């Protein structure tokens, strides 16, 4: 036996025999005993309690804060899921003091809290943790005072330097607020000095360029691990269950591919109009408001490959991969596979309603779409050739969000003599309302002849678990406080989603004006939308 | 047997039918008659017609020692039925020396959906077994179970683990999937019950839910939180002593149930890989002491009774002492109304203090959690096993 070549690492780093390596490892462990995880946490089914924290709510007097964010915080408090050492610093321009702001949120809770009536004692203890800070979001002085308040909060209320900044403001305020937080050093995490996180509400930009610009602005101040981009659909129980459904069960995953799935339909239908958000909606439209985020997020969750772990980045890596695989739409594709619409006056739930152009804050000649339907393809091994039909709209007949996996027909029709038309098997995941999962398959109708009829197996959350499903904002707020980014959107996800949507918007901008309005409120959108699946010999599911 | 008769609605959102029976066969016939009498579509008090759907996802068996306990059990189970529709059988063994008899009240209840949706219907059998019939539940219950559905057995008071008929019932007759108990209700110091529970768990492999342990979930969270700080985490490997103070009757401190205070220590020990070297012994001052072995050293456990007019056996304080490299950590977790306070102090430094919510949980809350727990919970299994080892009888020689 001869000596091998000299190790390039030098004599001190020569490869060790296994025994020596093992003993050296033991020696290293003895020298530096470290336990990184708290073993007392293992197996605790209880939700982990967030650290003491000061939550800074920008846009606290706005609609989103009143309808969603503050009720979610109240509900977490009511469920004892917020630490007792919590402060909520509400920021707004209105000339309120603590008392008037508390009165206003009490009114909001009476209207929007998930569990009614509001419990007086719970409210009292919650309200005493809420303080109001009046200030202009563009002014340096506002942030200087905020920094001083937060220091006082650490000292007087034990919030330990932990901060959650929640931006419930118009998107135009995101970048200035982030810059100001950086200017006064409120982004900085120092060892033992508490964590700093920022929650940003959609829209994350209004096109690919603005999204990249916003991401750059945020990244100048906060690390990606500190940024929580909230898409509330991801906090919904059924959406979270989609991951469990796909990856905790063996029986569905073998069917979850082009070999067995004929097509997928994802619907986000709203019966409401734009309400008082006409001016906002004019700039947004259904494509930016729903398709770019909610619908594409749902598509990603349905189509992604199993992540290696349930870690936030592993999950988001897989979502990004599938978004990258969505086939880009050329102009001709947009003309053929995407249909937009705008509602005219009509009837919804037995009430006459105005058309979009008659809504407050809406241009009477508006070309903003209130409906969009699209056919997308995913060019990967699993989904090549399987169309994904996506649709969303306002003033549709009912509020319903659903993902439907429609399976292929059996290769050989054995029961041709059946009186009923055979329907393909179907798996429908209802996101809202009435969250649950439905499996449709064929069964024999009792009788002497062989008649096959579609029957449903229906799982409803409400009838299977005694725990009420939390509101999506409660889930996401708690996750942000606990530092779990799994259900938040990463910067590259946002950009990939804009990449998919950009050709659609570009084609509309370049093309002739649409013939709006083109569907009556209370209908399922413009007739042309039927052609999106119709061209492939399919039809929209009746919901 | 009485004919099945429609009752007035129990609430504006439910309908019920009931019948009486005096034998197991009668009970089965009563159920059949009820479902035959219940129309396919019932008209609710709201005037809507509802499809009646008989539903069960669970067999729920409870053994109640008294009328009062049976009523409490029915109230707790009743609050779950719309979400966990079950066949519920509440058995009350009565008058053990009296004549043999079976009296049953069979009820079908339909919770009406809003509008004209399907009504979800469940069945309750309240069964009084008199004389020696009460000691032969293993022969009464199996025919009444809906086959192929999981069986949860709730024994809300003292459990006769030592009786052969209990073992026969649990392991052979109903083949229960889950046993729900409340160790804090067991007689005396509760340690005999604890040994019995460990025996049942080992012999049957059954999943256990003990309300006494489940009620401490917030305490566990609070204790764990003290060691979430990276600076304090290493002290978990150097714990020298755990002291649990609990309320005790002034008249008979030694007779106070100590299952809850013991569970605190057993949970900590089971998470940290401790084993019992000297089981609990009662000292002259009424304290109970035990010694556990940790990976590199020993831990002294003390259960300290504190005379109180409050119900006995409730934990008032948990103290954990750890020393490491000539530095000492003291963690103290103290009960407050609806909360617990965690105070951690390293040497002479400023103590870190944190409040945690600890709202009281009802039987219905705990039952819902038990029903929704799938399979054996490793945390519960390990904590009960260590508690059982600490409760071993040999140690009582020291009393």
């Amino acid at each position: 036996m001869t000596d091998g070549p000299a190790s390039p690492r030098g004599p001190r780093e020569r490869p060790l025999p296994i025994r020596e390596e093992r003993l050296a490892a033991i020696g290293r462990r003895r020298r530096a005993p470290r336990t990184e995880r708290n073993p007392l946490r293992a197996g605790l089914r209880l939700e982990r309690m967030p650290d003491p924290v000061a939550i800074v709510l920008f846009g606290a007097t706005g609609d989103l804060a009143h309808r969603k964010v503050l009720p979610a915080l109240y509900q977490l408090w009511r469920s004892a899921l917020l630490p007792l050492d919590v402060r909520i610093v509400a920021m707004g321009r209105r000339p309120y003091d603590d008392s008037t702001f508390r009165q206003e949120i009490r009114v909001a809770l009476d209207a929007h809290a998930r569990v009614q009536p509001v419990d007086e004692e719970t409210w009292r203890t919650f309200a005493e943790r809420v303080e109001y800070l009046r200030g202009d979001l563009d002014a340096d002085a506002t942030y200087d005072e905020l920094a001083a308040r937060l220091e006082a909060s650490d000292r007087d209320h034990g919030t330990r330097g932990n901060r959650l900044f929640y931006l419930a403001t118009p998107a135009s305020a995101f970048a200035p607020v982030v810059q100001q937080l950086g200017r006064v050093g409120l982004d900085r995490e120092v060892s033992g000095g508490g964590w700093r996180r920022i929650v940003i509400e959609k829209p994350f930009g209004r096109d690919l360029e603005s999204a990249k610009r916003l991401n750059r602005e945020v990244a100048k101040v906060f690390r990606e691990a500190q940024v929580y981009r909230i898409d509330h659909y991801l906090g919904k129980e059924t959406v979270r269950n989609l991951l469990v459904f796909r990856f905790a069960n063996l029986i569905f995953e073998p069917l979850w591919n082009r070999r067995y799935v004929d097509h997928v339909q994802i619907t986000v239908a709203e019966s409401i109009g734009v309400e008082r958000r006409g001016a906002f909606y004019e700039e947004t439209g259904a494509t930016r408001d729903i398709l770019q985020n909610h619908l594409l997020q749902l598509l990603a969750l349905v189509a992604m490959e199993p992540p290696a772990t349930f870690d936030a980045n592993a999950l988001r890596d897989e979502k990004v991969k599938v978004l990258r695989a969505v086939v880009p739409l050329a102009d001709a594709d947009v003309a053929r596979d995407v249909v937009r619409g705008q509602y005219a006056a009509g009837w919804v739930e037995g009430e006459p309603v105005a058309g979009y152009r008659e809504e407050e804050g809406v241009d009477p000649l508006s070309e903003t779409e209130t409906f969009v339907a699209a056919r997308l393809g995913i060019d990967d091994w699993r989904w090549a050739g399987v169309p994904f039909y996506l649709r969303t709209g306002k003033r549709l007949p009912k509020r319903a969000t659903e993902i439907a996996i429609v399976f292929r027909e059996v290769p050989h029709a054995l029961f041709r003599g059946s009186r009923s038309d055979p329907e393909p098997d179907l798996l429908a995941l209802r996101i809202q309302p009435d969250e649950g999962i439905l499996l449709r398959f064929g069964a024999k109708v009792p009788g002497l002849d062989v008649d096959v009829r579609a029957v449903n197996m229906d799982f409803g959350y409400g009838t299977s678990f005694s725990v009420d499903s939390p509101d999506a904002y409660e889930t996401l707020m708690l996750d942000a406080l606990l530092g779990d980014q799994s259900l938040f959107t990463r910067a590259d996800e946002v950009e990939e989603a804009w990449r998919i949507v950009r050709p659609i918007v570009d084609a509309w901008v370049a093309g002739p004006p649409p013939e709006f309005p083109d569907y009556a409120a209370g209908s399922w959108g413009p007739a042309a939308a039927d052609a999106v699946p119709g061209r492939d010999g399919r039809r929209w599911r009746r919901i | 047997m009485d004919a099945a008769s429609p009752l007035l609605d129990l609430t504006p959102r439910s309908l019920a039918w009931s019948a009486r029976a005096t034998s197991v066969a009668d009970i089965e016939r009563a159920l059949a008659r009820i479902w035959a009498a219940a129309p396919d579509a019932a008209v609710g008090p709201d005037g809507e017609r509802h499809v009646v759907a008989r539903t069960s996802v669970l067999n729920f068996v409870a053994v109640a020692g008294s009328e009062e306990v049976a009523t409490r059990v029915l109230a707790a189970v009743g609050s779950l039925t719309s979400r966990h529709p079950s066949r519920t059988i509440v058995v009350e063994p009565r008058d053990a020396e009296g004549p043999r008899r079976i009296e049953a009240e069979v009820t079908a209840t339909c919770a009406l959906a809003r509008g004209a949706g399907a009504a979800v219907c469940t069945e309750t059998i309240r069964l009084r077994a008199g004389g020696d019939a009460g000691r032969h539940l293993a022969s009464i219950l199996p025919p009444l179970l809906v086959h192929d559905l999981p069986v949860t057995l709730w024994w809300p008071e003292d459990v006769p683990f030592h009786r052969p008929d209990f073992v026969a019932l649990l392991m052979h007759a109903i083949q229960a999937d889950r046993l729900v108990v409340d160790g804090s209700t067991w007689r005396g110091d509760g340690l005999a019950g604890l040994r019995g529970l460990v025996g049942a768990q080992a012999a049957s492999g059954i999943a256990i839910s003990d309300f006494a342990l489940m009620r401490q979930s917030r305490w566990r969270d609070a204790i764990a939180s003290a060691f979430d700080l990276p600076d304090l985490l290493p002290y978990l490997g150097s714990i020298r002593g755990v002291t649990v103070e609990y309320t005790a009757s002034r008249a008979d401190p030694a007779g106070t149930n100590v299952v809850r205070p013991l569970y605190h220590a057993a949970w900590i020990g089971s998470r940290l890989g401790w084993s019992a070297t000297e089981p609990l012994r009662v000292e002259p001052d009424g304290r109970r002491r035990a010694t556990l072995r940790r990976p590199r050293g020993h831990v002294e456990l003390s259960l300290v009774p504190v005379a109180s007019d409050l119900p006995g056996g409730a934990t008032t304080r948990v103290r954990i002492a750890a020393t490491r490299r000539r530095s000492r950590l003291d963690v103290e977790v103290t009960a407050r109304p609806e909360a617990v306070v965690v105070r951690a102090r390293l040497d002479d430094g400023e103590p870190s203090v944190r409040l945690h919510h600890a709202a009281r949980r009802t039987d219905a809350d705990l039952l819902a959690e038990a029903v929704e727990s799938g399979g054996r919970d490793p945390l519960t299994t390990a904590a009960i096993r260590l508690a059982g080892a600490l409760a071993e009888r040999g140690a009582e020689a020291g009393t």
Side-chain angles (χ1 to χ4, degrees):
Chain A
M1 197 173 124
T2 58
D3 290 342
S7 165
R9 292 179 293 177
R12 290 172 62 84
E13 293 184 37
R14 70 183 166 81
L16 296 172
I18 290 290
R19 182 168 179 276
E20 283 181 41
E21 206 164 333
R22 182 175 61 77
L23 293 174
I26 292 170
R28 278 198 298 277
R29 280 207 297 276
R30 283 190 181 144
R31 279 195 298 279
R34 285 182 71 84
T35 315
E36 297 198 343
R37 287 174 187 272
N38 181 349
L40 296 183
R41 287 275 173 219
L44 284 190
R45 290 189 172 200
L46 196 70
E47 297 88 346
R48 212 184 118 202
M49 180 66 73
D51 298 327
V53 62
I55 299 169
V56 182
L57 178 57
F58 293 93
T61 55
D63 193 52
L64 176 68
H66 281 56
R67 291 167 67 102
K68 294 293 181 186
V69 182
L70 287 163
L73 284 169
Y74 166 78
Q75 185 61 33
L76 290 174
W77 177 255
R78 185 181 174 280
S79 309
L81 291 171
L82 287 184
L84 291 170
D85 316 313
V86 64
R87 296 297 292 176
I88 297 167
V89 182
M91 308 268 298
R93 283 197 181 91
R94 294 188 192 168
Y96 291 158
D97 57 17
D98 290 352
S99 170
T100 47
F101 182 71
R102 287 172 187 163
Q103 285 168 22
E104 189 175 282
I105 54 176
R106 176 56 200 259
V107 172
L109 292 181
D110 285 335
H112 303 297
R114 179 160 65 85
V115 179
Q116 297 284 357
V118 172
D119 176 67
E120 290 304 327
E121 179 58 18
T122 309
W123 158 249
R124 188 186 63 72
T125 53
F126 178 73
E128 65 191 23
R129 287 166 169 79
V130 177
E131 57 187 273
Y132 186 76
L133 175 58
R134 184 188 176 192
D136 186 340
L137 293 186
D138 297 325
D140 289 359
T142 304
Y143 298 87
D144 295 336
E145 184 170 355
L146 174 63
R149 283 262 190 128
L150 293 175
E151 267 185 42
S153 170
D154 291 343
R155 194 177 56 243
D156 302 336
H157 302 294
T159 47
R160 299 192 187 181
N162 299 319
R163 324 254 188 260
L164 183 79
F165 302 105
Y166 197 115
L167 271 54
T169 61
S172 56
F174 292 170
V177 171
V178 168
Q179 284 160 11
Q180 287 282 7
L181 291 173
R183 186 186 65 78
V184 291
L186 284 173
D187 60 308
R188 269 173 240 144
E189 293 179 333
V190 287
S191 177
W195 47 256
R196 312 287 159 91
R197 297 174 193 145
I198 186 163
V199 180
I200 302 177
E201 275 282 347
K202 77 177 180 75
F204 315 119
R206 52 172 289 109
D207 52 31
L208 181 58
E209 287 67 35
S210 60
K212 283 182 170 172
R213 209 162 39 243
L214 176 62
N215 283 338
R216 271 198 307 272
E217 289 300 322
V218 173
K220 281 180 193 166
V221 179
F222 291 95
R223 289 176 293 113
E224 183 62 28
Q226 294 175 282
V227 183
Y228 293 71
R229 293 175 194 81
I230 200 165
D231 179 340
H232 73 270
Y233 259 61
L234 297 186
K236 288 183 180 294
E237 202 67 9
T238 321
V239 175
R240 299 166 74 205
N241 188 41
L242 180 55
L243 295 170
V244 176
F245 181 80
R246 283 195 59 195
F247 303 128
N249 296 295
L250 185 68
I251 56 174
F252 300 108
E253 197 56 23
L255 308 179
W256 213 264
N257 56 53
R258 63 191 303 277
R259 190 164 175 204
Y260 298 102
V261 175
D262 180 74
H263 69 279
V264 177
Q265 293 188 16
I266 307 179
T267 302
V268 175
E270 296 179 284
S271 57
I272 56 168
V274 292
E275 297 185 306
R276 287 176 301 158
R277 298 163 65 233
F280 161 78
Y281 202 82
E282 272 289 272
E283 295 177 6
T284 315
T287 307
R288 290 186 172 101
D289 191 36
I290 304 287
L291 174 63
Q292 185 272 342
N293 38 74
H294 300 332
L295 276 171
L296 288 179
Q297 283 291 329
L298 294 178
L299 176 143
L301 289 169
V302 169
M304 71 182 198
E305 294 297 319
T309 64
F310 199 56
D311 155 75
N313 271 331
L315 194 65
R316 298 190 295 182
D317 286 346
E318 294 303 336
K319 280 161 60 189
V320 169
K321 267 159 63 179
V322 85
L323 289 174
R324 282 190 187 133
V326 171
V327 182
L329 294 168
D331 281 357
D333 300 329
V334 174
R336 189 188 60 232
D337 291 337
V338 183
V339 169
R340 57 180 161 161
Q342 188 190 76
Y343 63 84
W347 287 73
V348 176
E349 296 171 359
E351 298 284 337
V353 297
Y356 177 69
R357 290 179 174 181
E358 290 92 57
E359 302 271 17
E360 183 188 328
V362 173
D363 179 351
L365 298 174
S366 171
E367 294 180 14
T368 300
E369 80 287 358
T370 60
F371 177 96
V372 62
R375 176 194 193 279
L376 297 179
I378 298 175
D379 247 354
D380 68 8
W381 195 273
R382 187 188 283 259
W383 295 114
V386 177
F388 282 69
Y389 301 108
L390 278 51
R391 65 175 164 167
T392 181
K394 287 196 173 289
R395 287 294 188 213
L396 300 185
K398 64 198 283 193
R399 171 175 171 255
T401 299
E402 188 197 79
I403 300 166
I405 314 291
V406 183
F407 292 94
R408 290 179 182 274
E409 289 181 7
V410 291
H412 173 55
L414 202 57
F415 304 107
R416 283 201 191 92
S418 171
R419 285 196 299 270
S420 315
D421 282 338
E423 291 189 66
D425 297 341
L426 173 127
L427 185 70
L429 303 130
R430 293 190 304 270
I431 311 291
Q432 67 179 15
D434 188 22
E435 300 185 344
I437 296 170
L438 177 145
L439 179 64
R440 185 181 71 195
F441 56 93
K444 181 184 173 301
V445 179
L448 296 176
D449 53 357
V450 178
D451 189 13
V452 180
R453 183 126 0 126
V455 293
N456 294 342
M457 281 173 67
D458 207 347
F459 155 76
Y461 261 87
T463 53
S464 296
F465 296 107
S466 68
V467 182
D468 283 339
S469 293
D471 179 78
Y473 274 86
E474 293 166 35
T475 302
L476 295 171
M477 181 68 78
L478 188 61
D479 281 357
L481 289 168
L482 290 168
D484 182 351
Q485 291 184 301
S486 307
L487 300 176
F488 294 86
T489 318
R490 209 167 56 187
D492 51 352
E493 274 181 83
V494 172
E495 291 174 14
E496 284 303 327
W498 278 120
R499 183 192 60 75
I500 295 165
V501 163
R502 178 163 68 173
I504 300 175
V505 178
D506 287 352
W508 290 344
V509 169
E515 292 178 12
F516 283 171
D518 58 355
Y519 71 95
S523 70
W524 278 106
D530 291 344
V532 174
R535 197 170 293 114
D536 300 331
R538 302 179 178 102
R539 58 188 164 81
W540 291 110
R541 203 172 115 65
R542 188 177 55 243
I543 293 178
Chain B
M1 187 188 83
D2 293 350
S5 57
L7 286 178
L8 289 178
D9 57 295
L10 297 178
T11 73
R13 306 290 327 154
S14 68
L15 289 174
W17 294 263
S18 76
R20 291 185 181 281
T22 55
S23 69
V24 171
D26 256 4
I27 293 170
E28 291 173 335
R29 282 193 290 271
L31 280 168
R33 289 185 63 164
I34 282 177
W35 290 115
D40 287 342
V43 178
D46 51 6
E48 294 280 359
R49 291 182 71 78
H50 299 264
V51 175
V52 171
R54 183 183 179 188
T55 316
S56 281
V57 297
L58 183 72
N59 286 295
F60 199 91
V61 180
V63 182
S66 66
E67 184 95 19
E68 182 196 343
V69 174
T71 305
R72 184 162 65 88
V73 165
L74 284 168
V77 176
S79 68
L80 301 187
T81 48
S82 64
R83 292 170 191 274
H84 296 284
S86 62
R87 175 173 286 185
T88 302
I89 306 168
V90 180
V91 189
E92 298 169 57
R94 287 274 184 90
D95 188 14
E97 303 307 318
R100 180 186 309 161
R101 66 192 169 89
I102 287 176
E103 291 172 1
E105 189 178 309
V106 183
T107 309
T109 306
C110 297
L112 302 179
R114 300 218 174 274
V120 177
C121 302
T122 57
E123 301 153 330
T124 304
I125 301 166
R126 185 168 180 173
L127 193 154
R128 297 177 181 88
D132 55 4
R135 290 196 297 278
H136 291 87
L137 300 181
S139 69
I140 296 173
L141 289 169
L144 300 178
L145 302 174
V146 182
H147 60 247
D148 277 344
L149 288 183
V151 179
T152 291
L153 173 63
W154 184 15
W155 210 296
E157 293 183 309
D158 214 35
V159 188
F161 288 110
H162 59 284
R163 273 184 13 207
D165 57 318
F166 172 78
V167 178
L169 174 73
L170 184 70
M171 292 172 58
H172 304 302
I174 63 172
Q175 296 177 357
D177 301 273
R178 179 170 294 278
L179 174 64
V180 181
V181 297
D182 185 352
S184 66
T185 64
W186 296 338
R187 71 184 60 178
D189 60 14
L191 298 184
L194 200 46
R195 290 190 291 271
L197 184 64
V198 173
Q201 183 174 264
S204 64
I206 193 171
I208 305 275
S209 296
D210 187 342
F211 284 3
L213 188 61
M214 293 164 72
R215 282 199 188 94
Q216 296 175 343
S217 55
R218 279 292 175 206
W219 280 78
R220 288 194 284 277
D221 181 51
I223 293 168
S225 76
F227 296 94
D228 282 339
L229 296 173
D231 291 349
L232 303 191
L233 186 56
Y235 286 83
L236 274 179
S238 311
I239 292 176
R240 315 245 170 218
V242 175
T243 304
V244 186
E245 296 175 13
Y246 62 96
T247 55
S249 140
R250 293 179 197 283
D252 181 20
T256 301
N257 182 301
V258 295
V259 170
R260 277 179 288 175
L262 179 56
Y263 272 155
H264 284 298
W267 165 67
I268 296 171
S270 64
R271 295 294 92 197
L272 300 179
W274 301 350
S275 56
T277 49
E278 289 178 41
L280 286 170
R281 58 194 182 273
V282 182
E283 302 286 337
D285 61 0
R287 294 176 180 224
R288 289 169 193 265
R289 292 187 192 278
T291 308
L292 299 105
R293 182 193 300 279
R294 60 181 167 81
R296 285 195 293 276
H298 288 88
V299 181
E300 294 300 323
L301 167 65
S302 296
L303 305 183
V304 182
V306 177
S308 169
D309 295 325
L310 296 170
T315 307
T316 56
R317 191 190 314 266
V318 176
R319 284 185 286 157
I320 300 168
T323 52
R324 184 169 180 270
R325 296 177 183 167
R326 291 194 292 279
S327 185
R328 180 184 168 93
L329 172 71
D330 289 291
V331 173
E332 187 178 281
V333 184
T334 313
R336 291 273 181 276
E338 302 282 300
V340 286
V341 182
V342 185
R343 182 185 295 267
R345 186 190 186 105
L346 196 56
D347 298 320
D348 296 326
E350 195 63 24
S352 141
V353 182
R354 224 181 132 182
L355 268 169
H356 288 251
H357 294 282
R360 181 163 175 74
R361 301 168 74 199
T362 64
D363 282 355
D365 297 333
L366 297 169
L367 201 56
E369 184 183 320
V371 166
E372 284 164 15
S373 310
R376 294 172 66 178
D377 171 26
L379 182 149
T380 303
T381 305
I384 289 174
R385 191 182 296 138
L386 183 56
L390 289 165
E392 276 304 315
R393 201 189 296 274
E396 292 177 1
T399 58

